[in-house]
Amino acid sequence: MQSGHCELRLTRRYEATPAEVWSALTEPASIARWLATPVDVDLTAGGAFELALVNGSRIDGRVSALVPERVLELDWRHADEQRSVVRFELRAEDGGTVLVLDHGRIQAPLGMAYITRWSRTLDRFDCEVAA
Amino acid sequence: MNALQALSDPTRRRIVELLATGGELSAGELASHFPTSRPGVSRHLRVLRELGVVQARVERQRRLYSLDPAPLAELDDWLARYRAFWTNRLDALDTEIRRRRREDHPD
């Protein structure tokens, strides 16, 4: 965890195989339905991951790590925010698939970064105050 | 910003953390967590009160300190943006997975 940044984690279990969750997660036609309109999506390491949100703003992203059916990690930049990292990890468990979403390196709002382990509805939400 | 000034000092940062998890605490209870003298902790508590991060009330001749909820609400508002964004998206992903399953395995 970097100083002055926050991380959040969400975990979900889906009644489907990792292959099924992966294709729903990554196929452009699916992305359009669950995430945002793909503008330029190239599912290869270093490939573009650009989205248009319904509110008109853009995600200017890039694929920073890719292990099919297991890991999708994106450099994530929304509008004029600083770059952050969004990582999806899948694993098979009890006949279903567990998805762990980590959104890290979120720039903490000034002075608001002092509460650690803020986790009412998230699995984990950590912030660290800038040194 | 007040919160930032309040937290520029490691002792004050620790006091805020203790109050965030411990609710209401007296100066003595807070001081037990520090090698610093009790007057030192009281001095930091006064700074935190002046900055509006910490509030105090008296109960049975004890002064009890707690966090002011306003800065916490500000943090929660900010966090709610990210929380709502991803919570909604992961629900939509579930819908998408079910939809594809139905198309692949029509009844």
Side-chain angles (χ1 to χ4, degrees):
Chain A
M1 189 163 55
Q2 280 184 295
S3 279
H5 289 74
C6 295
E7 305 179 346
L8 66 84
R9 168 175 289 181
L10 285 160
T11 302
R12 291 294 180 92
R13 188 178 185 283
Y14 297 110
E15 296 300 329
T17 65
E20 288 171 319
V21 175
W22 182 261
S23 55
L25 187 70
T26 57
E27 284 178 10
S30 288
I31 290 174
R33 285 188 290 265
W34 81 267
L35 181 56
T37 305
V39 176
D40 184 4
V41 170
D42 169 19
L43 253 300
T44 55
F49 201 93
E50 293 175 27
L51 306 171
L53 301 182
V54 272
N55 66 9
S57 64
R58 302 267 289 221
I59 302 292
D60 171 21
R62 196 153 287 280
V63 178
S64 52
L66 183 80
V67 183
E69 299 184 15
R70 284 191 46 212
V71 176
L72 172 63
E73 188 186 273
L74 305 167
D75 268 341
W76 186 265
R77 187 153 59 190
H78 178 209
D80 44 29
E81 287 179 9
Q82 289 208 347
R83 204 167 272 286
S84 57
V85 175
V86 173
R87 184 180 173 92
F88 302 90
E89 278 197 48
L90 306 181
R91 65 169 192 270
E93 197 176 284
D94 298 331
T97 300
V98 171
L99 180 152
V100 178
L101 163 69
D102 282 303
H103 193 161
R105 285 188 239 161
I106 304 169
Q107 189 187 26
L110 199 64
M112 282 292 114
Y114 58 93
I115 301 299
T116 59
R117 302 197 179 282
W118 184 265
S119 55
R120 280 191 185 147
T121 58
L122 299 171
D123 301 332
R124 194 185 75 202
F125 180 70
D126 291 343
C127 291
E128 196 166 86
V129 71
Chain B
M1 185 181 223
N2 281 354
L4 192 66
Q5 192 187 345
L7 299 164
S8 60
D9 176 272
T11 302
R12 290 204 289 273
R13 213 145 59 215
R14 184 75 186 120
I15 289 172
V16 167
E17 283 173 2
L18 289 167
L19 293 173
T21 52
E24 281 190 316
L25 296 171
S26 69
E29 287 164 339
L30 287 165
S32 70
H33 294 270
F34 297 97
T36 326
S37 66
R38 167 129 180 218
V41 170
S42 295
R43 206 160 42 241
H44 284 302
L45 279 168
R46 192 170 64 241
V47 173
L48 288 169
R49 284 179 69 190
E50 284 167 5
L51 293 170
V53 175
V54 161
Q55 57 196 4
R57 69 183 182 91
V58 176
E59 185 185 280
R60 293 184 197 154
Q61 297 172 340
R62 284 208 318 165
R63 193 183 289 275
L64 295 173
Y65 295 88
S66 60
L67 286 187
D68 189 305
L72 295 179
E74 198 177 327
L75 174 67
D76 207 29
D77 287 349
W78 173 78
L79 170 59
R81 276 183 16 212
Y82 287 96
R83 185 170 55 207
F85 180 83
W86 286 118
T87 300
N88 294 341
R89 293 311 194 285
L90 293 184
D91 287 347
L93 179 61
D94 192 32
T95 305
E96 176 63 18
I97 290 165
R98 288 167 192 274
R99 200 179 98 105
R100 296 164 69 98
R101 284 211 132 188
R102 274 200 308 277
E103 286 172 3
D104 289 349
H105 313 284
D107 292 328

